[in-house]
Amino acid sequence: MKFRVERDVLAEAVTWVARGLPARPPVPVLAGVMLEAFDDGSLMLSAFDYEVSARITVPADVAEAGQVLVLGRLLADISRNLPARPVDVSTDGAKVNVTCGSSRFSLREMPVSDYPTLPAAPAASGTIAGDLFTQAVAQVAVAADRGDTLPILTGVRMEIDGDKVVLLATDRYRLAMRELTWTPATPDANHVALIPARQLSETAKALGASGSVELAFGGGGDGLIGFEAGQRQATTRLLDGEYPKVTSIFPTSVDTEAIIETAALEEAVKRVALVAERNTPVLLKFTDGQVAIEAGTGDDAQASEAVEAILHGPEIQIAFNPQYLLDGLHAVGQPWSRLSFTQPSRPAVLTGQPEAESETNSSYRYVLMPVRFAS
């Protein structure tokens, strides 16, 4: 095999496919990236670890078609650090030579025969705007569980009914839900998928820059979801199990609402939380015209700050894990935030809005469980 490719094209392509490679692969061959050069002047790079697959096709000047398997992360590191000149890649016995200007690398060829076959790309079920997809996934994935105690909560639940998409995630301490629309291939589209949050986040970030992303449910045997944008394709194995019916957490009534400038509250909570030891809350005291934020108790360091707020309803004091509150304020993505309360011991709902006086945008809702504050 022998081909020449632009440095930036190679670096971007290898980084894309290698991003999902396991840090500690169960078998060495799964740390590899497959390079396949074709006579039509195209180069396909792919990676697969039985859970996640990624492939991309880029243009190359192919002198000799063929395929080769090399260590993916190493090739990614090398290609990102090469000088800005064309890169020549060729095989020589059991070695793969990478040459760029006066830089020369010789990599060990891995056994292609031991490498698993990538799952077939499933047929597209519909398309969604790339920027919308990236934003929605980021807003919801922040609430997914990062531990291993309940694997099902490490996923994002995606439910599709016609042109409506609902994304949902929770770690039992907060819950994020985003509703949006897409363009289904058939008007009666109906799908439910539980997608690992980390893989979904990485895929959405990488593909979102494209104009639109194709989603494909149930290809390559069941239990897979496929993504495609431009020349990039990815598949992810879905999580098994029944997701808990958590939408009952949403409060059915509201006693108090507070409207606050998002950035002002975010900055104040960040500052006050500096004295909050790990897993200790910040206390928010809502009164007419302001919210006072306090942290630290007893003889330890203490901090307080006040931020202007518009209050509708009775005054309320409520405490939250500061990081969970900050995650929600960052994810809401609107200049103003609205916090809706029933009681200090009941979940609060965070939504966003463009203006202080405008209606709230309920397409994104972030539910936050309060915590006890030791007075």
Side-chain angles (χ1 to χ4, degrees):
M1 186 182 77
K2 188 177 181 183
F3 65 85
R4 170 174 282 198
V5 65
E6 291 299 320
R7 192 281 307 263
D8 289 351
V9 171
L10 179 66
E12 192 179 315
V14 180
T15 301
W16 153 251
V17 294
R19 81 199 195 294
L21 289 175
R24 290 182 290 276
V27 288
V29 78
L30 295 182
V33 161
M34 180 84 78
L35 286 79
E36 295 179 77
F38 301 96
D39 289 323
D40 64 359
S42 64
L43 171 68
M44 187 166 81
L45 296 90
S46 53
F48 182 41
D49 69 350
Y50 292 108
E51 296 295 322
V52 179
S53 81
R55 73 180 95 193
I56 183 170
T57 305
V58 296
D61 186 1
V62 179
E64 195 178 321
Q67 63 178 179
V68 69
L69 186 69
V70 293
L71 278 172
R73 292 188 192 279
L74 179 58
L75 183 60
D77 288 342
I78 290 170
S79 56
R80 279 196 298 268
N81 287 285
L82 290 172
R85 303 183 62 173
V87 183
D88 289 297
V89 179
S90 60
T91 52
D92 179 13
K95 294 287 184 182
V96 180
N97 297 320
V98 179
T99 309
C100 181
S102 60
S103 298
R104 284 175 169 71
F105 293 87
S106 182
L107 309 182
R108 181 174 62 85
E109 189 176 340
M110 301 168 80
V112 173
S113 57
D114 295 347
Y115 199 68
T117 305
L118 262 72
S125 307
T127 59
I128 192 165
D131 54 350
L132 194 64
F133 179 57
T134 306
Q135 182 203 36
V137 169
Q139 286 180 315
V140 171
V142 71
D145 200 344
R146 289 167 177 78
D148 294 324
T149 49
L150 273 175
I152 203 158
L153 295 185
T154 62
V156 171
R157 184 181 190 271
M158 181 185 286
E159 183 174 355
I160 284 173
D161 184 8
D163 67 347
K164 289 186 177 60
V165 182
V166 178
L167 299 174
L168 181 75
T170 183
D171 61 4
R172 293 171 296 167
Y173 304 105
R174 64 256 177 91
L175 180 153
M177 182 168 161
R178 174 68 199 267
E179 299 174 10
L180 61 159
T181 58
W182 77 321
T183 307
T186 57
D188 59 345
N190 197 283
H191 307 281
V192 176
L194 191 55
I195 311 159
R198 190 173 63 82
Q199 278 92 332
L200 181 61
S201 295
E202 288 177 357
T203 302
K205 270 185 213 157
L207 297 183
S210 306
S212 69
V213 178
E214 288 186 357
L215 304 183
F217 295 88
D222 52 11
L224 285 182
I225 184 169
F227 307 90
E228 185 170 348
Q231 296 299 309
R232 300 181 181 203
Q233 294 176 335
T235 64
T236 298
R237 187 159 298 286
L238 301 175
L239 295 169
D240 279 332
E242 187 68 33
Y243 203 71
K245 292 179 169 48
V246 289
T247 47
S248 59
I249 291 171
F250 285 105
T252 52
S253 62
V254 173
D255 293 340
T256 300
E257 286 189 318
I259 298 157
I260 314 139
E261 200 174 343
T262 306
L265 181 58
E266 200 174 345
E267 291 300 319
V269 171
K270 268 185 199 166
R271 281 189 288 269
V272 171
L274 292 172
V275 302
E277 292 180 21
R278 180 176 165 78
N279 293 330
T280 60
V282 292
L283 179 66
L284 279 66
K285 297 180 177 178
F286 291 90
T287 53
D288 190 26
Q290 72 166 36
V291 53
I293 304 135
E294 300 175 4
T297 55
D299 299 328
D300 297 327
Q302 295 169 311
S304 65
E305 187 166 336
V307 177
E308 285 184 17
I310 302 163
L311 195 69
H312 300 296
E315 297 181 354
I316 189 170
Q317 294 188 23
I318 192 165
F320 296 117
N321 174 307
Q323 191 54 55
Y324 293 170
L325 177 57
L326 288 169
D327 286 345
L329 291 168
H330 183 71
V332 84
Q334 294 279 351
W336 293 83
S337 288
R338 182 185 297 241
L339 280 157
S340 305
F341 311 101
T342 49
Q343 299 165 17
S345 59
R346 302 289 300 150
V349 181
L350 173 65
T351 53
Q353 55 197 66
E355 306 278 347
E357 302 300 325
S358 57
E359 290 291 314
T360 189
N361 179 358
S362 60
S363 67
Y364 178 64
R365 288 178 285 169
Y366 183 86
V367 180
L368 199 50
M369 304 298 283
V371 288
R372 285 181 186 277
F373 190 85
S375 54

